Amino acid sequence: MRAGVWAIMAAWFCCAGAAVAQEEAALLARGRSLVEGVAACGNCHTPKGPDGELPGMALAGGLVIEEPGLFRAVVPNITPDEETGLGRWTDAQVALAIREGRRPDGSLIGPPMPIELYRGIADRDLAAMVVYLRSVPAVRNAVAGSSAYQMPLPPTYGPAVGRVPLPADTAVARGAYLAGPVGHCIECHTPTGPGGGRDWSRTGAGGPPLATPFGPVVPRNITPSRRDGIGGWSDDDIRRAVSEGIAPDGRRLAPPMAYPYYARMRRAELDDLVAYLRSLPATP
Ligand code: HEC
Ligand code: HEC
């Protein structure tokens, strides 16, 4: 009898342990595919030189992003380095920074980190991102200076987020989740409204110009408008523009859209994005 109980308990411990390890591995894989794919955190958080991202510096910060008259943002190091990165933050603190834009000291994270949209990241994906960020090499890189904002920052991004489920299991809902909360495509591709925030009634109709070292680039209209948007494009055309940065006429699309990251998206994710973009109203 005794031996039987021990056998059952041993079996339980063994398999509970295996299940935890399996869940951890699944979260890590999901976190990697999001952070290195559609979320493209490194598009801002990895420093760049003339030949692209600096080797050995993944997510180590230091890039300066300027919008003249609005801000000069210095992107922080989010590797697990104890001195210069997130090494001393708890998982909950990292999660709160990503989804609610608040640091452990209570200060608010400013733009262009797209916090308004990140508030919609599902609990499970947020946990996956944190597990993945913990796993990347710690890079010692003290980022000099801090961001300066000429525009007023909100006192908060809103009430505590609470629980966020994964999107409904349809292509359009999954695509909306990728294009919004996870990939912030619509942050760049939506015009500003009268209050200075995004005018979500015109989602996808093209965004304000972005300052780049090569001059301003304009995020285009990606609604199904035939005249102004991508209504005349095939599904292949859209997938190629997003994942390879090549327009149907062969034109090379300019950064800062994160083409090398989107190149890592799975075909199913690209298909969901296409379904979502086709579901938007055709907006001039
Ligand atoms: C469009 C650029 C951009 C993208 C994309 C972006 N970030 Fe950020 N992030 C920033 C900037 C800029 C700051 C600092 C803002 C400030 O100084 O207030 C920041 C701050 C942070 C911080 C706070 C770190 C600290 O030490 O203060 C964390 C954590 C973070 N980002 C994680 C992420 C993750 C994870 C992703 C992807 C899911 C991501 N970021 C995507 C620009 C970006
Ligand atoms: C950092 C801002 C930014 C983000 C994020 C972004 N884009 Fe873009 N996108 C641009 C800019 C700028 C262009 C125009 C590039 C050019 O004309 O050379 C563009 C071009 C495009 C085009 C080609 C449109 C045309 O008419 O040529 C498509 C399609 C597109 N984006 C879809 C997406 C999708 C889908 C996502 C999310 C997975 C996304 N974008 C994320 C800035 C962004």
Side-chain angles (χ1 to χ4, degrees), residues 184-276:
H184 73 283
C185 316
I186 59 173
E187 170 94 9
C188 284
H189 283 280
T190 300
T192 37
R198 290 286 178 264
D199 178 0
W200 298 124
S201 72
R202 304 188 61 215
T203 294
L210 300 165
T212 76
F214 323 101
V217 286
V218 181
R220 305 192 171 224
N221 183 329
I222 53 170
T223 74
S225 162
R226 283 206 157 253
R227 196 187 48 147
D228 301 327
I230 55 175
W233 294 24
S234 70
D235 290 1
D236 268 338
D237 290 341
I238 301 176
R239 282 189 293 258
R240 195 155 83 113
V242 174
S243 65
E244 295 175 43
I246 301 171
D249 61 7
R251 185 171 47 95
R252 251 202 188 279
L253 298 170
M257 188 164 144
Y259 313 104
Y261 286 85
Y262 303 151
R264 302 189 189 112
M265 285 170 72
R266 286 179 295 116
R267 167 66 189 246
E269 291 177 312
L270 289 168
D271 288 346
D272 290 345
L273 274 178
V274 169
Y276 166 68

Side-chain angles (χ1 to χ4, degrees), residues 16-26:
V20 168
Q22 216 170 34
E23 168 68 0
E24 193 79 359

Side-chain angles (χ1 to χ4, degrees), residues 127-215:
M129 286 177 175
V130 174
V131 168
Y132 176 66
L133 289 181
R134 294 295 194 207
S135 79
V136 304
V139 181
R140 199 179 172 79
N141 184 37
V143 171
S146 55
S147 304
Y149 296 94
Q150 285 96 57
M151 55 192 284
L153 290 188
T156 152
Y157 289 104
V161 167
R163 304 196 71 84
V164 182
L166 285 165
D169 202 12
T170 66
V172 171
R174 287 190 306 260
Y177 175 66
L178 293 178
V182 181
H184 73 283
C185 316
I186 59 173
E187 170 94 9
C188 284
H189 283 280
T190 300
T192 37
R198 290 286 178 264
D199 178 0
W200 298 124
S201 72
R202 304 188 61 215
T203 294
L210 300 165
T212 76
F214 323 101

Side-chain angles (χ1 to χ4, degrees), residues 36-104:
E36 302 296 347
V38 63
C41 309
N43 202 38
C44 292
H45 281 277
T46 298
K48 289 158 192 70
D51 298 324
E53 298 195 338
L54 299 180
M57 295 292 283
L59 301 174
L63 191 76
V64 174
I65 305 175
E66 285 194 83
E67 281 296 334
L70 294 178
F71 58 78
R72 180 179 188 278
V74 185
V75 185
N77 180 343
I78 57 170
T79 74
D81 185 63
E82 296 237 337
E83 305 294 330
T84 63
L86 305 180
R88 294 201 182 126
W89 297 24
T90 65
D91 288 357
Q93 286 172 335
V94 177
L96 193 74
I98 298 170
R99 193 161 70 177
E100 311 207 17
R102 197 170 286 288
R103 296 188 187 84

